[in-house]
Amino acid sequence: MNYDKNNYKQPLSDDELVAMFFEENRQEIEDGGFSQHVMKQLPSQSIRLSRIWTLVCSVVGVAFFFLADGIGQLKLVLFNATGNFVGFLASIDFHSWSPLMVLAAIGLLMVFGAWNIAENWEYRERLSQTFK
């Protein structure tokens, strides 16, 4: 039995099979414009009230933000987070790391990153071929 790498197709996943099934068995049901008629008859007042309620809540939220000194609070949170991060970096002991360990870690991250990109690329290609 000859093995041809170019003609080998991986089995499809369950999600791909379900998507193919629904794509092949799609049915349009003619309703004579009934759906459009129903959508036009829905009360427009509720939509208007919804928009007004959203506007009122947004204005109250913005007003509360400024009354509670939201900008000062955001500055405080950002300064504290920055200070915590700098303190964390200062607590790391880099003296026990050798340059070889750093290069090995960077190399492994690059290899795993390339592997992940290649797998995603292959999955997208297989998925696009499935739905052509």
Side-chain angles (χ1 to χ4, degrees):
M1 177 178 218
N2 293 342
Y3 174 71
D4 186 9
K5 182 169 84 172
N6 296 329
N7 289 333
Y8 175 72
K9 291 187 177 184
Q10 292 184 353
L12 298 175
S13 70
D14 291 341
D15 292 335
E16 292 168 338
L17 290 171
V18 168
M20 284 176 50
F21 172 78
F22 282 119
E23 185 67 31
E24 292 170 356
N25 296 305
R26 178 177 293 188
Q27 296 178 357
E28 295 292 329
I29 299 173
E30 184 61 37
D31 63 357
F34 177 76
S35 299
Q36 290 291 343
H37 181 70
V38 168
M39 293 303 289
K40 287 181 183 177
Q41 296 299 321
L42 290 177
S44 62
Q45 182 180 5
S46 63
I47 294 171
R48 204 169 332 146
L49 288 175
S50 172
R51 288 182 181 160
I52 291 171
W53 180 246
T54 301
L55 178 67
V56 167
C57 289
S58 298
V59 168
V60 168
V62 169
F64 182 73
F65 177 79
F66 285 111
L67 288 174
D69 190 30
I71 294 175
Q73 294 295 324
L74 285 177
K75 284 181 184 178
L76 182 65
V77 166
L78 288 175
F79 287 141
N80 285 341
T82 304
N84 287 340
F85 184 70
V86 169
F88 165 72
L89 289 179
S91 69
I92 297 175
D93 181 23
F94 290 106
H95 298 293
S96 62
W97 294 11
S98 71
L100 184 61
M101 283 175 47
V102 173
L103 288 175
I106 292 172
L108 282 173
L109 286 174
M110 291 174 63
V111 166
F112 287 129
W115 183 286
N116 194 7
I117 290 170
E119 280 189 347
N120 284 338
W121 186 272
E122 179 183 318
Y123 176 74
R124 283 190 209 134
E125 288 294 317
R126 197 170 31 133
L127 198 60
S128 67
Q129 290 175 359
T130 301
F131 293 109
K132 283 187 178 179

